[in-house]
Amino acid sequence: MGQARFYAGDPNGAAKDFERALEKASPALAVRARARLGESLLDAHRPKDASPVLESAAAAQPTPELLFQRALTRAATGNAAGLRADLKTVALRFPTHPYADEALEQLATLKPAVKLTLPEHLQRARGFLSDGAAARAEDELLRAEKLGLVKGAPAQAQVALLRAQVLFARGKREEAEKALAVARKGPPAIAAEAALVVARRALRSDDNEKARKLMAALDKAYPSQAAGEEGAFFAAWLDLQGGRFEDAAKSFEDYEKRYKGSRRRDEAMWFRALSHIRLEQYAKARQALDDLVTAYPKTSMAPQARYWQARTEELGGGKPATLGPAYEAVISAAPASFYALLATERLRELGRTPPAAFPQPPKQLTLPRPPELELAVALTRAGLFRDAADEVQSRVSGLRGADQALPFAHALLQLGEFGHAHVVAARYLWGRAFGAKAPDALAAFYPRAFAQAVETEATRQALDPFLVWAIMRRESAFRPEVMSAADARGLMQIIPPTATEIAQKMAEPAPAPADLFAPERNIRYGAWYLAQLMKRFAHPALAAAAYNAGPKAAVRWTQERGTLPLDLFVESIPYRETRGYVKQVVADLYLYHRFYEKDGTQARLAMTVPAPSTDGVSF
């Protein structure tokens, strides 16, 4: 009612409704109602009444709208310092928001006028660039120059470096390279960053030979700069990608010694070990892996290091009596990982029965619905889905510990709120699920979400439904409303152009982008696409790689590395994101089989990489 009155032009009436709403508001609604109350009072020309409300609302939720409105109340109540602070925050932190331009205009009219410094202009330019407004970023840099703020060689180099990035984003390559030439003449820190921009561009263009030379030059020229450290790492990594395994092993070892404080040092140890594995130098590989787990016992790479310690011992002629316990330890320590799955297959090859990663499958509990969820249910029934989601999120943030979280997660599962249940589990039930291996906690991590739609479409496409859930879990964590920075939408994260092509193949009208948030539509398109990938690639690891990086990349990798066994093939995927993606999807796929299929404990992972078909889906 308050919103209706506000938009009908009755701000005083709206303010009264928002005050009534605040009297009994849930935590989620209270934040919104307080913000709207402040806006209504301000619109009703009651700045003194609006001031304390907007002070509180903007502190709790510092959006550009609330900050700007708080600035107006501060102006009306004589808080000049607060006014300047809010206007500058809006102008600097939210440069693409319409209020940012208004904030700049008001800053210029103050007495004395507030003028931005060069670092502040650069902050705005970076904000424009990160928001995809490269033309406005270039205008911001020009404005700083016209105001005479770019004085001296260091400032000129700093501006030139940012301008080069802006020009690259605008497709003006020649101008960008001229700007980089200016930046490379600046102080060492800026020159190093400029050289790194050039090297990264070569790396992204797959010109690995040129990128290798540029990265090595960075390391040589700027060993004390962060860019030099990055150059040393990627020069070694490019040796590994180029099959120069001896050089890679030496380069990574040198990197570990020279950059002992690097955040990538554990990764360098792993790649040194991988280089030795490719050279079949198994003793040296184990030494590198030992160095890794000794120096970084809590690294996220510990499961793969433990698996490859056992695997290199096996490849070097180790005895089953030693290998068995080593593989079993991997399964026990990281039961939900790709490496537990690989260890399971290796134990079977040795003729040993692998231990169950989880003794019991997920178990969904039937519990009374917590009273905290009643309002969310009522909002959902009323069709107020956004309000319902806000209410659930607010209640989730108020949970304290696993004892409160467990019944809450199961209530969400019963309501079909799989994404929110997963959020609760990830925040509060991790130890219970993967440490204690409790089936009630596992249920929130591995639900059969939207089961009817998944099973219907999987049957229609002759597709494994567990692969759909594995992809869904990785892509959206079961949240149908998710949209990525690349405009991928919904449960299976499908971008509108891909959806249009899928619809054409299925002889359906092209969907509107908003249609992709509908679970049934999204699952239908995702299942069709996955089925086509499986027809072409015939292995879930390859299908997952193609889903993430595209079929062309997956074909190229199989042509270059397809003779490797699956474990080494996956470790050799050059895209870091895709490596992690494939590992999680494949691990989740086989966990779903073992959890929910009658003979799922017998599901086997093929350890060879099939050649993809020359025909099939290519988008």
Side-chain angles (χ1 to χ4, degrees), residues 293-332:
V293 296
T294 299
Y296 301 98
K298 295 183 179 180
T299 176
S300 61
M301 288 184 284
Q304 71 194 74
R306 299 294 188 193
Y307 167 79
W308 283 105
Q309 282 175 319
R311 180 63 180 149
T312 52
E313 186 170 350
E314 181 178 5
L315 291 168
K319 303 297 183 183
T322 303
L323 298 171
Y327 283 132
E328 289 168 1
V330 174
I331 297 171
S332 176

mmCIF file of all heavy atoms in Angstrom, residues 293-332:
data_model
loop_
_atom_site.group_PDB
_atom_site.id
_atom_site.type_symbol
_atom_site.label_atom_id
_atom_site.label_comp_id
_atom_site.label_asym_id
_atom_site.label_seq_id
_atom_site.Cartn_x
_atom_site.Cartn_y
_atom_site.Cartn_z
ATOM 1 N N VAL A 293 52.978 -30.934 0.186
ATOM 2 C CA VAL A 293 52.122 -31.205 1.349
ATOM 3 C C VAL A 293 52.834 -30.895 2.653
ATOM 4 O O VAL A 293 52.189 -30.620 3.671
ATOM 5 C CB VAL A 293 51.617 -32.663 1.336
ATOM 6 C CG1 VAL A 293 50.728 -32.908 0.133
ATOM 7 C CG2 VAL A 293 52.774 -33.656 1.351
ATOM 8 N N THR A 294 54.183 -30.921 2.643
ATOM 9 C CA THR A 294 54.924 -30.553 3.855
ATOM 10 C C THR A 294 54.879 -29.053 4.085
ATOM 11 O O THR A 294 54.638 -28.582 5.200
ATOM 12 C CB THR A 294 56.392 -31.020 3.746
ATOM 13 O OG1 THR A 294 56.425 -32.441 3.605
ATOM 14 C CG2 THR A 294 57.185 -30.616 4.983
ATOM 15 N N ALA A 295 55.080 -28.285 3.003
ATOM 16 C CA ALA A 295 55.094 -26.824 3.129
ATOM 17 C C ALA A 295 53.698 -26.249 3.290
ATOM 18 O O ALA A 295 53.510 -25.235 3.968
ATOM 19 C CB ALA A 295 55.787 -26.203 1.921
ATOM 20 N N TYR A 296 52.710 -26.893 2.663
ATOM 21 C CA TYR A 296 51.344 -26.357 2.654
ATOM 22 C C TYR A 296 50.347 -27.472 2.983
ATOM 23 O O TYR A 296 49.585 -27.912 2.117
ATOM 24 C CB TYR A 296 51.016 -25.745 1.286
ATOM 25 C CG TYR A 296 51.957 -24.633 0.885
ATOM 26 C CD1 TYR A 296 53.030 -24.885 0.034
ATOM 27 C CD2 TYR A 296 51.784 -23.342 1.362
ATOM 28 C CE1 TYR A 296 53.905 -23.873 -0.333
ATOM 29 C CE2 TYR A 296 52.645 -22.318 1.004
ATOM 30 C CZ TYR A 296 53.715 -22.591 0.156
ATOM 31 O OH TYR A 296 54.573 -21.580 -0.205
ATOM 32 N N PRO A 297 50.332 -27.934 4.216
ATOM 33 C CA PRO A 297 49.456 -29.067 4.558
ATOM 34 C C PRO A 297 47.966 -28.758 4.402
ATOM 35 O O PRO A 297 47.167 -29.672 4.234
ATOM 36 C CB PRO A 297 49.808 -29.357 6.022
ATOM 37 C CG PRO A 297 50.429 -28.098 6.539
ATOM 38 C CD PRO A 297 51.136 -27.483 5.371
ATOM 39 N N LYS A 298 47.584 -27.474 4.428
ATOM 40 C CA LYS A 298 46.175 -27.113 4.323
ATOM 41 C C LYS A 298 45.803 -26.587 2.938
ATOM 42 O O LYS A 298 44.719 -26.060 2.743
ATOM 43 C CB LYS A 298 45.821 -26.068 5.392
ATOM 44 C CG LYS A 298 45.937 -26.591 6.815
ATOM 45 C CD LYS A 298 45.499 -25.547 7.829
ATOM 46 C CE LYS A 298 45.587 -26.085 9.254
ATOM 47 N NZ LYS A 298 45.163 -25.075 10.257
ATOM 48 N N THR A 299 46.689 -26.741 1.971
ATOM 49 C CA THR A 299 46.391 -26.259 0.632
ATOM 50 C C THR A 299 45.200 -27.002 0.037
ATOM 51 O O THR A 299 44.967 -28.184 0.319
ATOM 52 C CB THR A 299 47.610 -26.430 -0.295
ATOM 53 O OG1 THR A 299 47.247 -26.026 -1.626
ATOM 54 C CG2 THR A 299 48.070 -27.868 -0.362
ATOM 55 N N SER A 300 44.446 -26.304 -0.816
ATOM 56 C CA SER A 300 43.316 -26.945 -1.488
ATOM 57 C C SER A 300 43.782 -28.019 -2.455
ATOM 58 O O SER A 300 42.983 -28.845 -2.912
ATOM 59 C CB SER A 300 42.499 -25.894 -2.248
ATOM 60 O OG SER A 300 43.303 -25.266 -3.235
ATOM 61 N N MET A 301 45.075 -28.028 -2.776
ATOM 62 C CA MET A 301 45.610 -29.033 -3.692
ATOM 63 C C MET A 301 46.073 -30.297 -2.975
ATOM 64 O O MET A 301 46.633 -31.202 -3.615
ATOM 65 C CB MET A 301 46.761 -28.444 -4.506
ATOM 66 C CG MET A 301 46.286 -27.449 -5.541
ATOM 67 S SD MET A 301 47.621 -26.829 -6.574
ATOM 68 C CE MET A 301 48.386 -25.699 -5.431
ATOM 69 N N ALA A 302 45.858 -30.393 -1.675
ATOM 70 C CA ALA A 302 46.291 -31.575 -0.930
ATOM 71 C C ALA A 302 45.684 -32.873 -1.476
ATOM 72 O O ALA A 302 46.406 -33.871 -1.625
ATOM 73 C CB ALA A 302 45.982 -31.413 0.555
ATOM 74 N N PRO A 303 44.369 -32.927 -1.800
ATOM 75 C CA PRO A 303 43.830 -34.196 -2.328
ATOM 76 C C PRO A 303 44.524 -34.654 -3.606
ATOM 77 O O PRO A 303 44.840 -35.838 -3.763
ATOM 78 C CB PRO A 303 42.355 -33.874 -2.566
ATOM 79 C CG PRO A 303 42.046 -32.775 -1.610
ATOM 80 C CD PRO A 303 43.290 -31.953 -1.561
ATOM 81 N N GLN A 304 44.786 -33.736 -4.535
ATOM 82 C CA GLN A 304 45.437 -34.164 -5.762
ATOM 83 C C GLN A 304 46.881 -34.553 -5.507
ATOM 84 O O GLN A 304 47.402 -35.483 -6.131
ATOM 85 C CB GLN A 304 45.335 -33.088 -6.850
ATOM 86 C CG GLN A 304 46.158 -31.836 -6.675
ATOM 87 C CD GLN A 304 45.705 -30.742 -7.629
ATOM 88 O OE1 GLN A 304 44.653 -30.152 -7.419
ATOM 89 N NE2 GLN A 304 46.477 -30.446 -8.659
ATOM 90 N N ALA A 305 47.541 -33.860 -4.570
ATOM 91 C CA ALA A 305 48.914 -34.239 -4.239
ATOM 92 C C ALA A 305 48.944 -35.648 -3.649
ATOM 93 O O ALA A 305 49.802 -36.470 -4.017
ATOM 94 C CB ALA A 305 49.512 -33.233 -3.256
ATOM 95 N N ARG A 306 48.011 -35.972 -2.757
ATOM 96 C CA ARG A 306 47.964 -37.307 -2.152
ATOM 97 C C ARG A 306 47.665 -38.382 -3.191
ATOM 98 O O ARG A 306 48.269 -39.468 -3.188
ATOM 99 C CB ARG A 306 46.900 -37.345 -1.049
ATOM 100 C CG ARG A 306 47.145 -36.390 0.109
ATOM 101 C CD ARG A 306 48.357 -36.742 0.915
ATOM 102 N NE ARG A 306 48.465 -35.926 2.115
ATOM 103 C CZ ARG A 306 49.547 -35.845 2.873
ATOM 104 N NH1 ARG A 306 50.633 -36.536 2.538
ATOM 105 N NH2 ARG A 306 49.558 -35.087 3.957
ATOM 106 N N TYR A 307 46.721 -38.061 -4.102
ATOM 107 C CA TYR A 307 46.415 -39.048 -5.148
ATOM 108 C C TYR A 307 47.637 -39.310 -6.019
ATOM 109 O O TYR A 307 47.981 -40.466 -6.308
ATOM 110 C CB TYR A 307 45.254 -38.554 -6.021
ATOM 111 C CG TYR A 307 45.094 -39.373 -7.291
ATOM 112 C CD1 TYR A 307 44.471 -40.613 -7.268
ATOM 113 C CD2 TYR A 307 45.614 -38.931 -8.511
ATOM 114 C CE1 TYR A 307 44.349 -41.385 -8.414
ATOM 115 C CE2 TYR A 307 45.497 -39.694 -9.663
ATOM 116 C CZ TYR A 307 44.870 -40.916 -9.609
ATOM 117 O OH TYR A 307 44.770 -41.675 -10.746
ATOM 118 N N TRP A 308 48.309 -38.247 -6.432
ATOM 119 C CA TRP A 308 49.444 -38.439 -7.343
ATOM 120 C C TRP A 308 50.660 -39.013 -6.637
ATOM 121 O O TRP A 308 51.515 -39.650 -7.281
ATOM 122 C CB TRP A 308 49.764 -37.130 -8.062
ATOM 123 C CG TRP A 308 48.781 -36.866 -9.169
ATOM 124 C CD1 TRP A 308 47.757 -35.971 -9.186
ATOM 125 C CD2 TRP A 308 48.714 -37.560 -10.419
ATOM 126 N NE1 TRP A 308 47.053 -36.045 -10.363
ATOM 127 C CE2 TRP A 308 47.618 -37.013 -11.138
ATOM 128 C CE3 TRP A 308 49.456 -38.580 -11.007
ATOM 129 C CZ2 TRP A 308 47.274 -37.463 -12.417
ATOM 130 C CZ3 TRP A 308 49.111 -39.026 -12.270
ATOM 131 C CH2 TRP A 308 48.040 -38.480 -12.973
ATOM 132 N N GLN A 309 50.765 -38.820 -5.342
ATOM 133 C CA GLN A 309 51.809 -39.544 -4.607
ATOM 134 C C GLN A 309 51.604 -41.048 -4.756
ATOM 135 O O GLN A 309 52.552 -41.797 -5.034
ATOM 136 C CB GLN A 309 51.784 -39.150 -3.118
ATOM 137 C CG GLN A 309 52.423 -37.803 -2.818
ATOM 138 C CD GLN A 309 52.261 -37.416 -1.353
ATOM 139 O OE1 GLN A 309 51.194 -37.612 -0.761
ATOM 140 N NE2 GLN A 309 53.295 -36.861 -0.766
ATOM 141 N N ALA A 310 50.362 -41.485 -4.574
ATOM 142 C CA ALA A 310 50.063 -42.913 -4.719
ATOM 143 C C ALA A 310 50.200 -43.356 -6.167
ATOM 144 O O ALA A 310 50.765 -44.423 -6.465
ATOM 145 C CB ALA A 310 48.655 -43.198 -4.204
ATOM 146 N N ARG A 311 49.706 -42.548 -7.081
ATOM 147 C CA ARG A 311 49.728 -42.931 -8.499
ATOM 148 C C ARG A 311 51.149 -43.023 -9.035
ATOM 149 O O ARG A 311 51.482 -43.960 -9.791
ATOM 150 C CB ARG A 311 48.911 -41.912 -9.308
ATOM 151 C CG ARG A 311 48.847 -42.205 -10.806
ATOM 152 C CD ARG A 311 48.160 -43.511 -11.083
ATOM 153 N NE ARG A 311 48.095 -43.774 -12.523
ATOM 154 C CZ ARG A 311 48.108 -44.983 -13.066
ATOM 155 N NH1 ARG A 311 48.181 -46.068 -12.305
ATOM 156 N NH2 ARG A 311 48.029 -45.129 -14.371
ATOM 157 N N THR A 312 52.024 -42.069 -8.687
ATOM 158 C CA THR A 312 53.404 -42.134 -9.174
ATOM 159 C C THR A 312 54.149 -43.312 -8.547
ATOM 160 O O THR A 312 55.012 -43.915 -9.189
ATOM 161 C CB THR A 312 54.155 -40.823 -8.882
ATOM 162 O OG1 THR A 312 54.017 -40.480 -7.500
ATOM 163 C CG2 THR A 312 53.623 -39.696 -9.740
ATOM 164 N N GLU A 313 53.787 -43.647 -7.314
ATOM 165 C CA GLU A 313 54.391 -44.846 -6.717
ATOM 166 C C GLU A 313 53.946 -46.091 -7.487
ATOM 167 O O GLU A 313 54.752 -46.991 -7.749
ATOM 168 C CB GLU A 313 54.000 -44.957 -5.249
ATOM 169 C CG GLU A 313 54.715 -46.110 -4.540
ATOM 170 C CD GLU A 313 54.523 -46.096 -3.034
ATOM 171 O OE1 GLU A 313 53.994 -45.102 -2.504
ATOM 172 O OE2 GLU A 313 54.912 -47.099 -2.391
ATOM 173 N N GLU A 314 52.673 -46.129 -7.874
ATOM 174 C CA GLU A 314 52.187 -47.269 -8.655
ATOM 175 C C GLU A 314 52.870 -47.330 -10.021
ATOM 176 O O GLU A 314 53.299 -48.400 -10.469
ATOM 177 C CB GLU A 314 50.676 -47.163 -8.838
ATOM 178 C CG GLU A 314 50.080 -48.325 -9.612
ATOM 179 C CD GLU A 314 48.576 -48.242 -9.750
ATOM 180 O OE1 GLU A 314 47.985 -47.237 -9.319
ATOM 181 O OE2 GLU A 314 47.978 -49.194 -10.304
ATOM 182 N N LEU A 315 52.974 -46.177 -10.685
ATOM 183 C CA LEU A 315 53.617 -46.142 -11.998
ATOM 184 C C LEU A 315 55.094 -46.502 -11.913
ATOM 185 O O LEU A 315 55.680 -47.013 -12.871
ATOM 186 C CB LEU A 315 53.460 -44.747 -12.618
ATOM 187 C CG LEU A 315 52.034 -44.367 -13.032
ATOM 188 C CD1 LEU A 315 51.942 -42.885 -13.365
ATOM 189 C CD2 LEU A 315 51.587 -45.217 -14.219
ATOM 190 N N GLY A 316 55.682 -46.267 -10.763
ATOM 191 C CA GLY A 316 57.090 -46.620 -10.556
ATOM 192 C C GLY A 316 57.304 -48.045 -10.083
ATOM 193 O O GLY A 316 58.428 -48.413 -9.760
ATOM 194 N N GLY A 317 56.215 -48.840 -10.027
ATOM 195 C CA GLY A 317 56.350 -50.255 -9.665
ATOM 196 C C GLY A 317 56.020 -50.572 -8.226
ATOM 197 O O GLY A 317 56.404 -51.632 -7.728
ATOM 198 N N GLY A 318 55.282 -49.692 -7.557
ATOM 199 C CA GLY A 318 54.931 -49.931 -6.161
ATOM 200 C C GLY A 318 54.046 -51.150 -5.978
ATOM 201 O O GLY A 318 53.346 -51.574 -6.903
ATOM 202 N N LYS A 319 54.052 -51.712 -4.798
ATOM 203 C CA LYS A 319 53.298 -52.926 -4.489
ATOM 204 C C LYS A 319 51.867 -52.600 -4.050
ATOM 205 O O LYS A 319 51.636 -51.604 -3.346
ATOM 206 C CB LYS A 319 54.000 -53.711 -3.374
ATOM 207 C CG LYS A 319 55.449 -54.085 -3.687
ATOM 208 C CD LYS A 319 55.542 -55.009 -4.895
ATOM 209 C CE LYS A 319 56.998 -55.426 -5.159
ATOM 210 N NZ LYS A 319 57.113 -56.255 -6.376
ATOM 211 N N PRO A 320 50.914 -53.464 -4.417
ATOM 212 C CA PRO A 320 49.523 -53.234 -4.018
ATOM 213 C C PRO A 320 49.339 -53.084 -2.513
ATOM 214 O O PRO A 320 48.467 -52.330 -2.065
ATOM 215 C CB PRO A 320 48.797 -54.469 -4.554
ATOM 216 C CG PRO A 320 49.621 -54.900 -5.726
ATOM 217 C CD PRO A 320 51.037 -54.613 -5.340
ATOM 218 N N ALA A 321 50.144 -53.789 -1.742
ATOM 219 C CA ALA A 321 50.006 -53.710 -0.287
ATOM 220 C C ALA A 321 50.263 -52.298 0.233
ATOM 221 O O ALA A 321 49.693 -51.872 1.242
ATOM 222 C CB ALA A 321 50.953 -54.701 0.379
ATOM 223 N N THR A 322 51.110 -51.556 -0.465
ATOM 224 C CA THR A 322 51.402 -50.169 -0.095
ATOM 225 C C THR A 322 50.423 -49.207 -0.744
ATOM 226 O O THR A 322 49.973 -48.228 -0.133
ATOM 227 C CB THR A 322 52.832 -49.791 -0.515
ATOM 228 O OG1 THR A 322 53.748 -50.704 0.089
ATOM 229 C CG2 THR A 322 53.174 -48.376 -0.090
ATOM 230 N N LEU A 323 50.091 -49.502 -1.996
ATOM 231 C CA LEU A 323 49.243 -48.602 -2.767
ATOM 232 C C LEU A 323 47.817 -48.557 -2.229
ATOM 233 O O LEU A 323 47.189 -47.493 -2.196
ATOM 234 C CB LEU A 323 49.219 -49.031 -4.233
ATOM 235 C CG LEU A 323 50.563 -49.009 -4.963
ATOM 236 C CD1 LEU A 323 50.425 -49.663 -6.330
ATOM 237 C CD2 LEU A 323 51.057 -47.578 -5.099
ATOM 238 N N GLY A 324 47.295 -49.713 -1.815
ATOM 239 C CA GLY A 324 45.911 -49.776 -1.345
ATOM 240 C C GLY A 324 45.621 -48.785 -0.231
ATOM 241 O O GLY A 324 44.707 -47.960 -0.357
ATOM 242 N N PRO A 325 46.372 -48.815 0.867
ATOM 243 C CA PRO A 325 46.113 -47.853 1.945
ATOM 244 C C PRO A 325 46.276 -46.400 1.510
ATOM 245 O O PRO A 325 45.570 -45.523 2.006
ATOM 246 C CB PRO A 325 47.150 -48.225 3.005
ATOM 247 C CG PRO A 325 47.456 -49.671 2.741
ATOM 248 C CD PRO A 325 47.371 -49.832 1.260
ATOM 249 N N ALA A 326 47.201 -46.141 0.566
ATOM 250 C CA ALA A 326 47.410 -44.762 0.108
ATOM 251 C C ALA A 326 46.182 -44.256 -0.645
ATOM 252 O O ALA A 326 45.725 -43.126 -0.428
ATOM 253 C CB ALA A 326 48.647 -44.686 -0.773
ATOM 254 N N TYR A 327 45.638 -45.077 -1.533
ATOM 255 C CA TYR A 327 44.426 -44.674 -2.256
ATOM 256 C C TYR A 327 43.238 -44.572 -1.307
ATOM 257 O O TYR A 327 42.394 -43.668 -1.418
ATOM 258 C CB TYR A 327 44.116 -45.674 -3.369
ATOM 259 C CG TYR A 327 44.996 -45.538 -4.594
ATOM 260 C CD1 TYR A 327 45.610 -46.664 -5.158
ATOM 261 C CD2 TYR A 327 45.190 -44.301 -5.202
ATOM 262 C CE1 TYR A 327 46.403 -46.554 -6.300
ATOM 263 C CE2 TYR A 327 45.986 -44.189 -6.344
ATOM 264 C CZ TYR A 327 46.592 -45.314 -6.885
ATOM 265 O OH TYR A 327 47.365 -45.199 -8.011
ATOM 266 N N GLU A 328 43.133 -45.478 -0.357
ATOM 267 C CA GLU A 328 42.026 -45.436 0.604
ATOM 268 C C GLU A 328 42.078 -44.160 1.442
ATOM 269 O O GLU A 328 41.041 -43.586 1.793
ATOM 270 C CB GLU A 328 42.073 -46.671 1.501
ATOM 271 C CG GLU A 328 41.689 -47.955 0.765
ATOM 272 C CD GLU A 328 42.017 -49.212 1.557
ATOM 273 O OE1 GLU A 328 42.524 -49.073 2.700
ATOM 274 O OE2 GLU A 328 41.772 -50.317 1.051
ATOM 275 N N ALA A 329 43.287 -43.701 1.745
ATOM 276 C CA ALA A 329 43.435 -42.472 2.529
ATOM 277 C C ALA A 329 42.911 -41.264 1.756
ATOM 278 O O ALA A 329 42.344 -40.334 2.344
ATOM 279 C CB ALA A 329 44.903 -42.262 2.903
ATOM 280 N N VAL A 330 43.080 -41.263 0.435
ATOM 281 C CA VAL A 330 42.551 -40.172 -0.388
ATOM 282 C C VAL A 330 41.033 -40.149 -0.297
ATOM 283 O O VAL A 330 40.411 -39.091 -0.131
ATOM 284 C CB VAL A 330 43.008 -40.326 -1.853
ATOM 285 C CG1 VAL A 330 42.344 -39.272 -2.732
ATOM 286 C CG2 VAL A 330 44.521 -40.224 -1.962
ATOM 287 N N ILE A 331 40.415 -41.324 -0.393
ATOM 288 C CA ILE A 331 38.951 -41.407 -0.334
ATOM 289 C C ILE A 331 38.440 -40.947 1.018
ATOM 290 O O ILE A 331 37.438 -40.228 1.110
ATOM 291 C CB ILE A 331 38.499 -42.853 -0.620
ATOM 292 C CG1 ILE A 331 38.910 -43.264 -2.031
ATOM 293 C CG2 ILE A 331 36.999 -43.007 -0.429
ATOM 294 C CD1 ILE A 331 38.707 -44.738 -2.333
ATOM 295 N N SER A 332 39.123 -41.326 2.070
ATOM 296 C CA SER A 332 38.698 -40.955 3.416
ATOM 297 C C SER A 332 38.841 -39.460 3.663
ATOM 298 O O SER A 332 37.963 -38.833 4.265
ATOM 299 C CB SER A 332 39.520 -41.728 4.452
ATOM 300 O OG SER A 332 39.185 -41.322 5.757
#
